[in-house]
Each structure stands twice: as structure tokens, then as C-alpha cells.
Amino acid sequence: ETGVTQTPRHLVMGMTNKKSLKCEQHLGHNAMYWYKQSAKKPLELMFVYSLEERVENNSVPSRFSPECPNSSHLFLHLHTLQPEDSALYLCASSQDRGGPGEQFFGPGTRLTVL
Amino acid sequence: AQSVSQHNHHVILSEAASLELGCNYSYGGTVNLFWYVQYPGQHLQLLLKYFSGDPLVKGIKGFEAEFIKSKFSFNLRKPSVQWSDTAEYFCAVKGGSQGNLIFGKGTKLSVKP
């Protein structure tokens, strides 16, 4: 596979469930990102990892917990979510966090919280 | 704080019409500018980018964008749209070497065959 892949593509969960989103990049990049895409709102940056170290957490509630075990994989662990957390969650990667390089996006996970 | 404004939420055109989508940003320093496109059911992909040099940037599929520094704008253009250009278009700005990518709300383009 090439590019950035995300699994699952769709997820329905109750407010008391625990689930995880997975992202994998096959581009040899050093930086990875989680974004939230909601209707009629700009993409919201959630977390930034550079060389497996979290460098930014944009005031995201603790019910979202990221994990970056290596430079190719990024997880978003979800627990006790709220219905307003329903959205498309996008993973992206770039060569480095700094510098002008563009970000490459995965297809996203469509999350519905009941 | 940096912000990006896309003036149109939804644009509807007939095939062969010309397209211009507005994008303005607020950031006083050096910026890197991007347009991304999201076709129905597909992931965000880069359409074109500006880092430095010629302010008129050519992208894929006949798109181009012009960086006008004095106006803090980076408008997207295409002389003649096709039905296959139906998609959502996002302008994004990265300010500074450690800056994050800031996105606009997106403009949905519908092209009627």
C-alpha cells in the first residue's frame, strides 16, 4: 500500500465504548497529525507528532488519547465520547513538522457516537 | 491568531464556465499556501502549493492560483470547469517554520453537466 491509510473507515460506537482509530503512513515521513473534520467547520488540528514525540495538543478533551509507537503508525484511542464528537477523523503525515512541505491525508474514519 | 477565510460556501456552475474561488488569510509573516481538493468519497489531496517565487502557481487538472501578498489572498482559478471538478475545495495556510496548517471552511463546487 502507498500513502496514508486509516482503519476502520466507519465506526459507530456508544458513549460508554472504548475504541481505537489506526493510521499508517508508507511515505517515510517524520511527522503525523490527527484532524477532526465537522460539517461547515474548518479542519481542526487535534494532535501533532514529530519523530514519535507529541509536540502539540490543541486543547483536545482527555477522552481522546493519541499514541505514536513509531514514525509510521499513529493511533487515536477513544473512550466515553459524546454525540458531538461524531465527525470525520483524518490522519495526515509530512516529511517534517517544520519546513514548507505539504501534508498527505488519509481517507478518514467516519465516526458516529450514539 | 492565524485564520483563513473562504468567501463562498457553495458554488454552482455549468460546464465550461470559469471558476474563481476566493481565499484570504491573516498572518503577517512568511507563509506557505495550499489548495486541497476533496472529491466525493475520496481523501483530501493537494491541488497546488505556493512556497516562494512566481506568485502564479500552476497545479493539477488545469487549476492555478495567484498569491497577492498585498491583499493576503490566494485565489483559485480554472478557465473552464468540467463535471469531474465537482468537489470541495480547501484553502490552507502555514505560517512560519513551525506553524501549523490552518484550513478554511471549504467551498463546495457543483458543476452541472
Side-chain angles (χ1 to χ4, degrees):
Chain A
E1 289 212 54
T2 59
V4 181
T5 58
Q6 290 185 243
T7 55
R9 294 293 306 275
H10 300 271
L11 178 62
V12 180
M13 59 187 289
M15 289 191 285
T16 58
N17 291 157
K18 289 185 180 181
K19 297 286 184 184
S20 296
L21 309 185
K22 179 182 176 183
C23 174
E24 185 172 359
Q25 58 97 359
H26 310 268
L27 300 167
H29 289 167
N30 295 316
M32 296 186 77
Y33 311 80
W34 278 117
Y35 288 88
K36 177 182 179 183
Q37 186 178 23
S38 306
K40 300 183 181 179
K41 291 177 69 175
L43 264 73
E44 301 171 57
L45 179 64
M46 300 175 71
F47 300 104
V48 180
Y49 275 84
S50 178
L51 297 170
E52 303 152 44
E53 181 181 339
R54 191 193 309 182
V55 295
E56 188 141 349
N57 173 349
N58 263 8
S59 303
V60 180
S62 60
R63 57 185 184 270
F64 295 91
S65 174
E67 178 190 1
C68 187
N70 55 61
S71 60
S72 298
H73 294 86
L74 186 65
F75 293 89
L76 189 62
H77 304 298
L78 316 171
H79 62 99
T80 60
L81 294 192
Q82 305 297 311
E84 59 265 28
D85 296 323
S86 298
L88 182 68
Y89 289 85
L90 296 173
C91 175
S93 71
S94 64
Q95 185 60 56
D96 297 292
R97 199 262 173 124
E102 69 264 32
Q103 293 180 17
F104 294 79
F105 286 82
T109 295
R110 175 69 63 186
L111 174 67
T112 302
V113 182
L114 302 176
Chain B
Q2 298 175 48
S3 65
V4 178
S5 297
Q6 291 184 243
H7 313 302
N8 308 100
H9 176 59
H10 192 185
V11 173
I12 301 173
L13 296 173
S14 298
E15 276 194 315
S18 64
L19 170 72
E20 181 160 3
L21 302 182
C23 173
N24 286 90
Y25 64 92
S26 64
Y27 183 76
T30 302
V31 291
N32 300 313
L33 301 159
F34 307 84
W35 275 98
Y36 281 85
V37 60
Q38 191 171 31
Y39 296 103
Q42 295 189 29
H43 61 275
L44 272 169
Q45 43 189 296
L46 185 69
L47 202 55
L48 49 77
K49 61 188 178 187
Y50 171 82
F51 292 162
S52 63
D54 188 344
L56 185 62
V57 180
K58 304 282 188 186
I60 60 171
K61 303 186 180 185
F63 285 90
E64 64 178 31
E66 186 175 13
F67 169 48
I68 303 179
K69 189 175 181 180
S70 60
K71 295 184 178 180
F72 298 90
S73 70
F74 190 54
N75 292 355
L76 181 70
R77 299 194 293 248
K78 185 171 184 179
S80 176
V81 294
Q82 300 173 306
W83 176 78
S84 58
D85 294 324
T86 295
E88 191 155 15
Y89 293 80
F90 295 88
C91 181
V93 174
K94 186 174 190 286
S97 62
Q98 296 298 319
N100 293 319
L101 202 55
I102 307 298
F103 283 84
K105 291 184 179 181
T107 297
K108 185 177 177 182
L109 172 65
S110 298
V111 180
K112 299 182 292 184

